[in-house]
Amino acid sequence: MPASYTVAQIAVSAAAYSFDTEFSYLVPDELCALIKPGVRVLVPFGKGNKRVIGFVLRLLHFDDRPERVKPVLRLIDEQPLVTDEQLRLITYLKENTFCTYFDAFRTMVPTGFGYVCSTHYELVNSMPENDLTDEEKAAAEFIRNCKTQRDVDEYLDFTGDKKKKALVMSLLDKGVIEQSQELKRKTADAEVKMLRLSDDFVSARAGISLTAKQTLVVRLLDEVGCISEKEVCYMTGCTSALLKRMNDKNIITFFKVEALRNAIGEQIKPVSPESIVLSDEQQQAYDGILSLCDSGKPAGALLHGVTGSGKTSVFIRLIDAMQKRGRTSVMLVPEISLTPQMLKKFKAYFGECIAVIHSSLSPGQRMDEYKRIMRGEATVVIGTRSAVFAPLKNIGIIIMDEEGEHTYKSEQSPRYHARDVAVQRCGFNNCLLLLASATPSLESYYYAKNGRFSLFELNTRYNDFPLPDVKIVDMSSPKEDGNNGVLSFELADALKDTLNKGEQSILLLNRRGFNTYVSCGDCKKPVECPNCSIALTYHKKNNRLMCHCCGYSMPYPESCPQCGSAKIRASGVGTQRIEQEIADIFPEARILRMDADTASTRYDYEEKFLAFEKGEYDIMLGTQMIAKGLNFPNVTCVGVISLDKALFAGDFRSYERTFSLITQVVGRGGRGSKPGTAYIQTFVPDHYVLSLASEQDYKEFYSQEAALRRALIYPPFCDICVIGFSSPLESKAILASEAFLSLLNDYLSKNRDSIKFLRVLGPAPCALERVGGRYRYRMVLKCKNNTALRKMISTLLISFSKVPQSRDVRIYADINGDIGL
């Protein structure tokens, strides 16, 4: 006998983590056949029954009507926005990253699908005159005299006003006013206005006289059936007004069809993936990885290859093999800057099967790409971190290029790592996760060496091109040699020689702006951001000091804000200053600067990298966005201006990141038939990290770094969980961290057997103690990431929300996140 009542378990958008759970709602009979897991609904929530949006996690069926269960008010989506697999990922994110269900949902679904729910009020026609207070009568009269709905809604908006809220509730209870909700989607579907001959005209056309222009339109529609209004006007020379008159006379009929916004650009001449000729080393790696793909079991592999070894060619052949097997593929890249080159190459091999996902797409483009993937029109997805959530089905392989990059880790809720999500998806799809890099993360290489991942290596460059010759330049002596500039004599001579040969150069400096700080000559204090504990950076182009944390800016000061002295001086070096110095030394050189100030959109990256590839620039200067994954065969000279600051950043990953950045940028040189040379400028020329990076000796670096981390107990020999606190008042951040520590000690005293390993560092101020006007403290837990630990963290976060010290304090938990800043 079928169940009589359906109850939807719903996650609501209004829930905070401390009370986020599955809420039960009764599904009305008229919606039972329509509601499905993954669709959004409008439901009443809380004591005031505020209308909020939620999404259905699962459905339950009962023979008896459940008691005290509120009803679902409205169905928002006709079809689910997330697949069953994505629903499982939402639960995974909640349990492993300590976010709410709806935070996880928003991470997967493009913002363009979002709705804004607004509340409207109107007077009831037959409202009661008696039993109203003077205040209620005055409110009713005011509403009656309002000219627009907006005036009514603004008058009755009781946000933050308890007295106004009581008045509105009373008016509703007494039937004076009615309340309604309006849902408006943030981004509408793109549509094209189409036209065709009307049915009436087709059946009786013989007796209808037409003008010459109308005859042209009818002949065109006879030939093509239906066509867009724009195309009709172009092909017949008629106007929209003429078409409107034809519609009024029932000669033609207008209708609209969905038009997907183009995110991948124009298609280019197709190339067969089978035309790629693999070297013996590549072929061996390809065969081994493909056998894992075909095993029918979830698996992981690491492809470790030197820069220029042809890892991308292996990716393309593997994705082509998945296409032939009817399986889908995901290709992840760490930076938006890498997407245009990768997309251009993949479009040639896979054509319209490609979809792209990254943050530089417009909301409409991202929404339409999501639709294409959901419908199965795109079977290869390329993108940055969020592309790991693409609603693909039957995935065959997930590839993470440059997998050691920190950009794969989200710093906002949910604080997930793309690699961890990919591992889950591989388990759901019985597919392969392929990690690839010349400088893999220490954790991935450790797991590969210990058998958790299969290890494949490419030890030589494709076509046996040599690696660049690397020279370490000691910058502690140039001033004694009469060089007061930022560029060493060696690097300047190399740039001159490269220019004379008609070849190209790349220069890396991972600091944008002109000067990195401005200070007072008398009190010696730097000019700091009023919202953050960081010195402001001078930008010469707009003559302003800017904060790279919160965006605050101010004009260049004429006197010290602290003591009033006029002895203001700028120090430090940014990309703008390097650009000026190069222009002074080489006035004939064409310089391309690539940093966040000059390249903020996908189109900026695409246009400027393409111009550099075509030889329109001689020197490309930039931050880390130019260091990885790019292929410019004419680049023969690479210069690292300075990376000493990154080497001593205070994070346990600082050596690893510096080694990776140097190795990657050095690998941009000599990728064609011409040999390359690289120069690393430093004040610590004997540091072993620089020496190993110059030799591109990852294995020796891994050996030394792993030994250091084992001794100090850092990943991969443990996990790290950061508990962060922030508040506008430092005292509240301190009290909150101490309260959490007390809760932690109390929990451990009662559950010592469940937590086998835990070391607590702090609480202490973050390296950047104040950001965006909020003081920041943290605790660092060295632990083992398992079910018991995650249960403990979740319990403590919920318990903390109930203590007085949590007021005005934001708290988060981040497993294996950054601890440097």
Side-chain angles (χ1 to χ4, degrees):
M1 181 176 179
S4 301
Y5 299 96
T6 301
V7 172
Q9 298 299 104
I10 293 173
V12 297
S13 57
Y17 181 78
S18 57
F19 58 89
D20 183 52
T21 187
E22 296 181 3
F23 295 93
S24 299
Y25 287 90
L26 184 65
V27 181
D29 292 341
E30 63 271 19
L31 296 181
C32 285
L34 303 174
I35 197 165
K36 305 172 185 176
V39 299
R40 288 171 297 178
V41 291
L42 191 68
V43 294
F45 186 72
K47 293 181 179 179
N49 286 326
K50 181 180 178 181
R51 271 57 171 168
V52 300
I53 295 173
F55 72 94
V56 179
L57 288 163
R58 54 199 178 99
L59 298 173
L60 303 176
H61 303 283
F62 299 94
D63 292 332
D64 299 322
R65 180 185 176 91
E67 297 182 1
R68 301 178 64 184
V69 178
K70 298 176 183 179
V72 173
L73 300 177
R74 177 176 170 183
L75 189 65
I76 297 176
D77 302 310
E78 293 181 2
Q79 295 296 328
L81 279 182
V82 290
T83 63
D84 292 341
E85 181 184 345
Q86 287 175 303
L87 285 173
R88 296 169 70 182
L89 287 175
I90 286 171
T91 301
Y92 165 81
L93 288 177
K94 175 174 172 59
E95 294 175 353
N96 287 267
T97 68
F98 315 107
C99 68
T100 66
Y101 282 117
F102 217 86
D103 281 342
F105 179 84
R106 273 191 287 250
T107 298
M108 295 185 192
V109 177
T111 56
F113 284 110
Y115 278 87
V116 176
C117 182
S118 53
T119 302
H120 300 301
Y121 302 94
E122 60 180 346
L123 279 175
V124 176
N125 291 330
S126 58
M127 70 174 195
E129 294 290 341
N130 300 326
D131 199 29
L132 295 183
T133 65
D134 291 341
E135 183 183 19
E136 291 168 346
K137 290 179 180 178
E141 186 63 24
F142 181 89
I143 296 170
R144 185 178 293 109
N145 294 326
C146 285
K147 295 182 178 180
T148 65
Q149 182 65 52
R150 182 176 180 180
D151 293 337
V152 176
D153 296 337
E154 288 181 351
Y155 174 69
L156 295 179
D157 182 14
F158 53 78
T159 305
D161 188 337
K162 293 183 178 180
K163 185 177 179 181
K164 176 72 71 68
K165 181 178 180 180
L167 172 63
V168 172
M169 293 298 107
S170 178
L171 291 173
L172 287 169
D173 291 340
K174 294 180 180 181
V176 178
I177 59 175
E178 289 181 338
Q179 183 186 60
S180 62
Q181 273 71 37
E182 179 187 18
L183 288 174
K184 185 176 180 180
R185 206 166 83 181
K186 293 181 179 179
T187 304
D189 291 329
E191 294 179 326
V192 174
K193 192 174 184 181
M194 305 286 288
L195 54 96
R196 60 177 175 83
L197 294 175
S198 71
D199 295 337
D200 291 342
F201 175 79
V202 171
S203 61
R205 63 193 303 170
I208 301 175
S209 61
L210 302 172
T211 66
K213 284 287 183 73
Q214 289 174 340
T215 301
L216 287 175
V217 173
V218 170
R219 286 177 180 173
L220 178 62
L221 292 176
D222 276 333
E223 182 179 342
V224 300
C226 63
I227 192 171
S228 72
E229 180 184 30
K230 185 177 180 181
E231 289 173 312
V232 170
C233 293
Y234 175 77
M235 297 180 72
T236 65
C238 69
T239 63
S240 297
L242 173 71
L243 296 177
K244 184 177 184 303
R245 289 195 296 271
M246 292 180 71
N247 180 65
D248 293 340
K249 293 179 180 180
N250 202 22
I251 299 172
I252 63 172
T253 299
F254 286 120
F255 62 98
K256 292 182 178 181
V257 297
E258 184 183 33
L260 299 181
R261 302 163 183 91
N262 187 355
I264 64 174
E266 297 297 325
Q267 291 298 323
I268 58 180
K269 184 179 179 180
V271 180
S272 171
E274 294 180 356
S275 65
I276 297 175
V277 179
L278 301 180
S279 67
D280 292 341
E281 202 172 35
Q282 288 174 314
Q283 187 67 47
Q284 185 177 357
Y286 168 80
D287 292 338
I289 296 169
L290 186 60
S291 67
L292 292 175
C293 292
D294 292 338
S295 67
K297 300 176 182 178
L302 173 63
L303 179 59
H304 175 219
V306 298
T307 55
S309 57
K311 294 182 288 294
T312 304
S313 296
V314 177
F315 301 159
I316 292 170
R317 290 289 301 274
L318 288 168
I319 292 173
D320 180 54
M322 294 302 101
Q323 292 286 97
K324 292 174 179 176
R325 287 161 172 75
R327 306 196 73 179
T328 59
S329 307
V330 180
M331 176 78 209
L332 300 178
V333 294
E335 301 262 6
I336 296 173
S337 61
L338 300 183
T339 309
Q341 266 203 348
M342 188 71 74
L343 184 60
K344 179 182 176 183
K345 183 173 291 188
F346 274 59
K347 274 197 300 184
Y349 291 111
F350 302 109
E352 295 182 352
C353 295
I354 297 292
V356 61
I357 296 178
H358 56 72
S359 58
S360 285
L361 296 180
S362 69
Q365 286 176 322
R366 191 160 184 171
M367 186 173 71
D368 288 351
E369 289 294 270
Y370 190 89
K371 291 178 187 175
R372 291 180 61 231
I373 300 167
M374 182 73 91
R375 295 168 183 170
E377 297 171 12
T379 54
V380 179
V381 174
I382 301 174
T384 49
R385 179 178 65 221
S386 59
V388 75
F389 296 114
L392 288 168
K393 297 178 181 177
N394 192 25
I395 299 174
I397 189 169
I398 301 176
I399 302 171
M400 287 183 65
D401 194 19
E402 308 298 349
E403 66 85 24
E405 290 303 312
H406 71 281
T407 48
Y408 282 123
K409 180 72 167 68
S410 171
E411 296 178 357
Q412 303 294 329
S413 181
R415 291 176 164 83
Y416 67 92
H417 196 293
R419 180 181 58 237
D420 298 331
V421 177
V423 167
Q424 294 299 311
R425 300 205 72 175
C426 288
F428 298 153
N429 289 272
N430 289 322
C431 68
L432 174 71
L433 169 61
L434 177 60
L435 310 174
S437 181
T439 54
S441 67
L442 211 74
E443 292 89 335
S444 295
Y445 198 73
Y446 173 80
Y447 295 141
K449 296 289 285 185
N450 285 274
R452 184 179 297 186
F453 297 149
S454 299
L455 179 61
F456 301 91
E457 296 189 290
L458 303 176
N459 296 313
T460 58
R461 282 190 159 185
Y462 189 70
N463 284 337
D464 292 324
F465 292 145
L467 291 168
D469 180 28
V470 182
K471 304 179 186 300
I472 296 178
V473 182
D474 186 357
M475 294 297 289
S476 60
S477 59
K479 289 189 178 181
E480 299 174 5
D481 299 335
N483 183 0
N484 293 317
V486 180
L487 299 181
S488 63
F489 287 135
E490 292 92 332
L491 181 54
D493 290 341
L495 290 173
K496 181 179 180 180
D497 185 52
T498 304
L499 285 170
N500 291 337
K501 292 179 180 178
E503 298 167 355
Q504 294 173 297
S505 304
I506 288 179
L507 299 178
L508 171 71
L509 178 63
N510 208 21
R511 291 197 295 272
R512 60 191 176 99
F514 192 86
N515 296 111
T516 51
Y517 65 94
V518 174
S519 60
C520 174
D522 284 340
C523 69
K524 313 300 181 186
K525 293 183 179 179
V527 181
E528 291 191 339
C529 173
N531 306 314
C532 311
S533 54
I534 190 172
L536 295 173
T537 300
Y538 174 53
H539 287 246
K540 189 174 183 179
K541 187 172 183 179
N542 59 4
N543 197 36
R544 296 182 71 85
L545 301 184
M546 302 182 70
C547 176
H548 291 172
C549 286
C550 72
Y552 170 85
S553 71
M554 62 176 284
Y556 191 90
E558 296 181 358
S559 60
C560 175
Q562 300 287 335
C563 69
S565 170
K567 295 181 180 179
I568 297 294
R569 61 186 181 189
S571 306
V573 179
T575 51
Q576 292 180 9
R577 182 177 167 188
I578 296 294
E579 181 183 26
Q580 178 177 300
E581 184 167 324
I582 296 171
D584 291 340
I585 299 174
F586 307 109
E588 75 284 2
R590 298 166 298 171
I591 305 168
L592 172 63
R593 177 163 60 87
M594 293 291 292
D595 55 31
D597 299 319
T598 62
S600 56
T601 70
R602 173 174 68 98
Y603 303 104
D604 289 334
Y605 296 120
E606 191 169 354
E607 292 169 5
K608 292 178 180 180
F609 284 146
L610 181 60
F612 187 75
E613 187 176 5
K614 289 180 177 179
E616 296 175 16
Y617 294 95
D618 303 307
I619 299 172
M620 181 162 63
L621 160 70
T623 53
Q624 65 179 10
M625 68 173 65
I626 68 169
K628 316 171 194 77
L630 300 171
N631 184 33
F632 301 113
N634 198 38
V635 171
T636 58
C637 178
V638 173
V640 178
I641 306 299
S642 175
L643 278 179
D644 291 352
K645 186 177 180 180
L647 196 60
F648 304 106
D651 184 354
F652 73 91
R653 292 190 177 96
S654 58
Y655 283 5
E656 179 181 2
R657 287 178 179 161
T658 305
F659 177 90
S660 175
L661 193 55
I662 293 175
T663 302
Q664 291 286 355
V665 73
V666 165
R668 296 315 101 203
R671 297 175 74 89
S673 57
K674 305 168 187 175
T677 306
Y679 296 83
I680 303 173
Q681 297 186 166
T682 178
F683 287 91
V684 285
D686 297 326
H687 200 289
Y688 79 93
V689 172
L690 301 183
S691 299
L692 294 174
S694 68
E695 298 168 4
Q696 298 218 355
D697 190 349
Y698 177 83
K699 293 180 180 179
E700 180 59 29
F701 170 77
Y702 166 81
S703 177
Q704 295 197 34
E705 184 70 5
L708 181 62
R709 292 205 193 170
R710 185 187 294 273
L712 298 177
I713 313 178
Y714 277 107
F717 303 102
C718 73
D719 293 296
I720 295 287
C721 181
V722 176
I723 310 294
F725 311 86
S726 71
S727 173
L729 296 177
E730 184 176 16
S731 58
K732 288 193 174 183
I734 295 172
L735 290 173
S737 62
E738 292 174 346
F740 189 91
L741 180 60
S742 177
L743 290 172
L744 173 61
N745 288 331
D746 184 56
Y747 184 94
L748 291 175
S749 66
K750 300 174 182 177
N751 300 274
R752 172 55 67 182
D753 292 341
S754 63
I755 306 298
K756 303 298 183 182
F757 168 72
L758 183 69
R759 294 191 178 185
V760 181
L761 307 178
C766 296
L768 284 180
E769 185 174 352
R770 190 164 177 255
V771 172
R774 301 184 70 88
Y775 289 90
R776 308 188 308 154
Y777 276 67
R778 71 181 176 200
M779 295 168 53
V780 177
L781 311 182
K782 293 183 178 181
C783 54
K784 182 66 175 176
N785 182 12
N786 53 27
T787 303
L789 177 95
R790 294 191 296 271
K791 179 182 177 182
M792 179 187 80
I793 298 299
S794 179
T795 301
L796 293 176
L797 290 174
I798 294 171
S799 299
F800 176 79
S801 68
K802 301 174 184 177
V803 301
Q805 294 91 333
S806 67
R807 188 173 181 180
D808 297 327
V809 175
R810 296 175 188 167
I811 184 174
Y812 69 87
D814 187 5
I815 293 181
N816 291 326
D818 285 341
I819 66 173
L821 297 179

